[in-house]
Amino acid sequence: MCGIVGYIGNEQAQPILLTGLEKLEYRGYDSAGIYVVEHQKGYLFKEVGRIQQLKEATDYSICATYGIGHTRWATHGVPSTQNAHPHQSFDKRFTLVHNGVIENYQELKETYLSHVVLQGQTDTEVIVSLIAYFAQEKQWSAKQSFQYVLSLIHGSYAFALIDNQTPDVIYAAKHKSPLLVGIGSQFNMVCSDAMAGIHQTRQFIELHDGEFVTLTKADVSIEKDGHIIQRQSYTAQIDASDLEKGTYPFYMLKEIDEQPAVLRRIIKEYTKDNQLDIPNDVKQAILTSDRIHIIACGTSYHAGLVGKYYLETFAHIPTEVHIASEFSYHPPLISGKPFFIFISQSGETADSRQALVKINEWNYPSLTLTNVNGSTLSRESNYTLLLHAGPEIAVASTKAYIAQMAVLSIIAYALSHDTLKDAFNLSYELSLVSNAMESIISQKDDIHIFAKTYLKDAKHAFFIGRGLDYLVSLEAALKLKEISYIQTEGFAAGELKHGTIALIEQNTPVFTIITQDETSLNTRGNIQEVKARGAKTCTFVMGKLATKDDQFILPDVSKYLSPLLSIVPSQLLAYYATLELGYDVDKPRNLAKSVTVE
Ligand code: F6R
């Protein structure tokens, strides 16, 4: 979702800001802009579309040494140059970028700015004009006006502000939306995440809600409620090569290919005394609870459904899985000693964060599984376990999903009785999965052919399965629909005949996942039902259950761990279908990587 980058130093600001914005592209955006200042004169560049267009529109003859930049994912108002950030106040004195949503902006506009004609429809333009209004009316400094406006706002924000009358300063503020300060020698930065600044520095300071920052090239001052905050910087552990596509045409393909290595890294990170384990304090906290509630969105929710299976099957702990946006406003009846697990690749998803705020108000213990150390959910929950998937750039989540399921299996295993551990060596079984993934990935050309054969002219498609295969079908369907725009349903195979089978027509593609012995025959019966109604069927079947009529054979792995493997052909199918249709695989329309609005 929206991304912010700001730089103040001695170097030319435009390339630094534009590179930062490119690194934020993965979050999803529809327009972008920068504002840079040379000798107290500001220059604004904004474009709808890709950063490349903004790069082409930028004037590099300006020797600006500071500025702010933004990628926008439309919430208030259509994608347009007027609505793109940075926004300027009606008197052009102030320039602002914003990530988040201001809930009471209409009310503020009516109360204070009824005389002002605004250029676009955004909440941000109201805020920057409000800062100018109070600076004029009250003869306040930029800082006083900005802080006063912050006190009037309801909603979420990360802001970076430049005032033409306060040269060589960038102000920033944060509440509920992520923002970091990047520390350099003779320069400083603000950015939505470390990736936007990693080309300049590895040292970052996390900002907390309610904090206000004044940046110059030599100094960073963080304050909250008038008190100066001292906080150590941390070194971002991002490998620059993780951020590059290398020889891959798209990040999604690179990230699918990385999955075997991610799995091996997880095994290594969670091995203690030759056994997969989790920290003792996390284990004890979960073991004293009577029920686990998993809360997540999208792909992470799908991983949570598989996690429920692990926690109930391995550890015998009753587990419920909730969609975060539903949980916050319609919480279920909660047992006496619940434990909450949040799953979030980014650690910044506003819906999950809102649920965590509630859990914290109710004083229940929580654990976050995330890929981003120091992210908001990680900071605000009691415990964190990392996914170790490496930065995931493509909007469609792949390696984070398999990492989430792997870490959930390790948690459940760590909580299980010795009898399971004696009979089942999870570390060994996961390593077999990682080898099996490699074998599937090496057959990607076959899956490319499936994509052409089954999906070329498809308007609708289905993934079906039973039990764990049904849970994977949900994720497989999400993958295909979100990037190829082919309307796809993931369905419990046995449930089709209770209504949805009415949608099957001549040549409707139906992909079936079969990895579970006890349900394979029933699922095959369901394939016959759709075939009889004209469906074009394709099966992804575990080797030991395969017949000569199956289309794609998955290497045999533990039946518990099959979701980590059976999703891989579906990820590749989604990738190649989208490639064939000519869409941007990594940046599907209307979607953002880090969804920081509710
Ligand atoms: C789909 C996808 C999304 C995310 C969801 C939650 O490919 O990536 O469905 O899973 O937006 O995001 P996180 O995991 O960052 O909380």
Side-chain angles (χ1 to χ4, degrees):
M1 204 148 265
C2 304
I4 288 177
V5 60
Y7 167 86
I8 184 158
N10 294 323
E11 306 284 315
Q12 192 186 30
Q14 298 92 306
I16 295 173
L17 295 175
L18 289 164
T19 306
L21 293 183
E22 276 176 331
K23 303 282 183 210
L24 291 170
E25 278 190 301
Y26 79 98
R27 297 164 76 96
Y29 69 105
D30 41 51
S31 53
I34 59 170
Y35 177 76
V36 292
V37 187
E38 176 197 47
H39 305 310
Q40 295 193 37
K41 185 160 170 28
Y43 298 86
L44 183 63
F45 304 96
K46 304 205 264 190
E47 288 292 317
V48 175
R50 297 295 178 215
I51 304 293
Q52 186 53 34
Q53 285 157 255
L54 180 63
K55 277 172 125 174
E56 284 159 20
T58 299
D59 181 350
Y60 297 92
S61 66
I62 304 160
C63 295
T65 51
Y66 68 105
I68 50 181
H70 188 270
T71 48
R72 172 175 189 255
W73 189 82
T75 53
H76 296 82
V78 294
S80 66
T81 15
Q82 282 90 345
N83 287 335
H85 299 217
H87 283 290
Q88 295 199 295
S89 55
F90 57 83
D91 58 359
K92 302 278 187 274
R93 174 176 163 183
F94 294 97
T95 307
L96 184 72
V97 290
H98 169 213
N99 175 7
V101 174
I102 305 304
E103 287 151 17
N104 58 337
Y105 79 106
Q106 286 289 10
E107 192 186 313
L108 292 170
K109 185 173 150 192
E110 279 154 30
T111 313
Y112 299 104
L113 300 174
S114 51
H115 59 294
V116 171
V117 179
L118 300 175
Q119 308 291 311
Q121 294 90 42
T122 68
D123 48 353
T124 312
E125 200 188 344
V126 172
I127 302 309
V128 71
S129 281
L130 216 50
I131 297 169
Y133 169 80
F134 286 111
Q136 266 184 20
E137 281 293 300
K138 309 271 186 194
Q139 292 297 301
W140 281 342
S141 67
K143 184 173 169 184
Q144 280 173 311
S145 291
F146 190 15
Q147 289 187 326
Y148 183 67
V149 169
L150 293 175
S151 74
L152 301 177
I153 287 175
H154 301 158
S156 57
Y157 56 77
F159 285 126
L161 176 79
I162 288 179
D163 170 23
N164 286 347
Q165 294 179 18
T166 319
D168 300 313
V169 175
I170 297 176
Y171 297 106
K174 175 206 165 357
H175 182 65
K176 287 190 176 180
S177 295
L179 197 62
L180 300 174
V181 171
I183 309 290
S185 157
Q186 283 302 299
F187 73 88
N188 288 301
M189 298 183 76
V190 275
C191 23
S192 295
D193 66 38
M195 292 208 225
I198 201 80
H199 57 300
Q200 296 296 315
T201 179
R202 288 190 168 270
Q203 291 305 116
F204 292 91
I205 300 177
E206 287 163 19
L207 295 177
H208 296 181
D209 283 355
E211 292 180 346
F212 185 91
V213 188
T214 309
L215 289 180
T216 63
K217 70 178 178 185
D219 195 36
V220 173
S221 159
I222 305 175
E223 57 190 278
K224 184 170 181 182
D225 303 330
H227 301 288
I228 296 292
I229 309 275
Q230 302 289 355
R231 185 169 303 131
Q232 283 296 317
S233 64
Y234 69 92
T235 308
Q237 302 294 347
I238 300 175
D239 183 342
S241 67
D242 284 348
L243 302 178
E244 306 300 336
K245 277 204 297 256
T247 54
Y248 286 92
F250 287 100
Y251 280 105
M252 185 179 177
L253 190 61
K254 174 176 182 260
E255 290 162 6
I256 292 172
D257 273 13
E258 283 170 355
Q259 293 181 119
V262 169
L263 207 47
R264 289 185 196 119
R265 196 181 313 145
I266 290 170
I267 297 170
K268 182 165 158 274
E269 293 289 342
Y270 284 94
T271 297
K272 208 177 112 204
D273 301 331
N274 286 326
Q275 186 150 292
L276 286 172
D277 208 352
I278 58 170
N280 212 26
D281 54 347
V282 183
K283 213 159 35 181
Q284 290 317 317
I286 303 179
L287 284 173
T288 50
S289 71
D290 60 5
R291 184 170 286 262
I292 294 174
H293 294 267
I294 294 177
I295 299 182
C297 313
T299 290
S300 299
Y301 169 77
H302 293 156
L305 296 173
V306 176
K308 167 185 161 76
Y309 173 88
Y310 292 146
L311 288 160
E312 294 189 335
T313 310
F314 295 176
H316 305 296
I317 305 176
T319 304
E320 290 177 28
V321 194
H322 309 278
I323 292 174
S325 54
E326 287 296 308
F327 181 93
S328 299
Y329 301 100
H330 304 98
L333 193 60
I334 292 175
S335 59
K337 297 193 97 197
F339 186 88
F340 288 84
I341 299 181
F342 286 83
I343 310 177
S344 175
Q345 186 284 129
S346 62
E348 300 294 348
T349 302
D351 289 322
S352 299
R353 205 259 173 158
Q354 182 55 31
L356 179 56
V357 167
K358 288 251 155 87
I359 300 308
N360 285 341
E361 276 167 18
W362 297 333
N363 238 345
Y364 291 134
S366 61
L367 157 71
T368 289
L369 305 192
T370 182
N371 209 18
V372 184
N373 203 3
S375 54
T376 304
L377 287 172
S378 158
R379 281 202 315 272
E380 295 183 359
S381 56
N382 303 96
Y383 309 97
T384 296
L385 292 178
L386 291 177
L387 298 174
H388 300 291
E392 192 179 63
I393 311 286
V395 164
S397 183
T398 52
K399 61 179 181 170
Y401 171 69
I402 65 104
Q404 289 163 344
M405 293 190 291
V407 174
L408 284 160
S409 76
I410 294 169
I411 296 172
Y413 189 74
L415 298 169
S416 71
H417 292 296
D418 286 345
T419 38
L420 178 91
K421 290 182 184 146
D422 292 341
F424 182 68
N425 181 340
L426 181 64
S427 177
Y428 172 70
E429 298 293 345
L430 282 171
S431 62
L432 291 185
V433 173
S434 103
N435 294 343
M437 277 176 176
E438 272 168 358
S439 146
I440 293 179
I441 289 167
S442 71
Q443 298 171 70
K444 48 166 84 91
D445 290 346
D446 294 348
I447 298 184
H448 194 163
I449 294 169
F450 290 160
K452 288 187 201 161
T453 315
Y454 289 88
L455 294 170
K456 193 164 167 287
D457 300 312
K459 297 277 170 289
H460 315 279
F462 285 86
F463 279 87
I464 60 170
R466 288 172 181 246
L468 282 174
D469 297 335
Y470 161 49
L471 305 183
V472 176
S473 297
L474 295 174
E475 173 58 11
L478 177 60
K479 264 331 58 116
L480 183 59
K481 73 180 123 186
E482 72 177 320
I483 59 173
S484 73
Y485 319 138
I486 298 170
Q487 191 195 2
T488 315
E489 292 271 356
F491 235 80
E495 184 65 10
L496 269 183
K497 58 186 173 296
H498 297 289
T500 308
I501 201 165
L503 296 177
I504 303 290
E505 340 176 295
Q506 202 58 36
N507 289 334
T508 304
V510 177
F511 299 93
T512 309
I513 301 172
I514 303 179
T515 67
Q516 307 295 309
D517 205 356
E518 61 275 22
T519 50
S520 77
L521 285 180
N522 282 342
T523 307
R524 287 192 186 281
N526 301 131
I527 298 176
Q528 292 313 318
E529 288 158 13
V530 292
K531 245 185 171 161
R533 284 152 184 89
K536 203 155 63 170
T537 60
C538 178
T539 47
F540 301 150
V541 184
M542 192 84 94
K544 64 178 186 199
L545 302 174
T547 68
K548 63 175 181 23
D549 296 328
D550 286 315
Q551 277 68 45
F552 191 83
I553 313 299
L554 304 161
D556 284 317
V557 295
S558 150
K559 68 169 195 168
Y560 299 130
L561 302 179
S562 67
L564 284 97
L565 190 66
S566 59
I567 190 61
V568 180
S570 309
Q571 294 168 337
L572 286 164
L573 190 75
Y575 172 81
Y576 285 116
T578 308
L579 202 65
E580 286 299 319
L581 290 164
Y583 299 125
D584 185 338
V585 176
D586 286 340
K587 299 184 201 92
R589 69 186 180 208
N590 305 340
L591 292 179
K593 184 70 183 163
S594 186
V595 187
T596 49
V597 294
E598 276 185 63

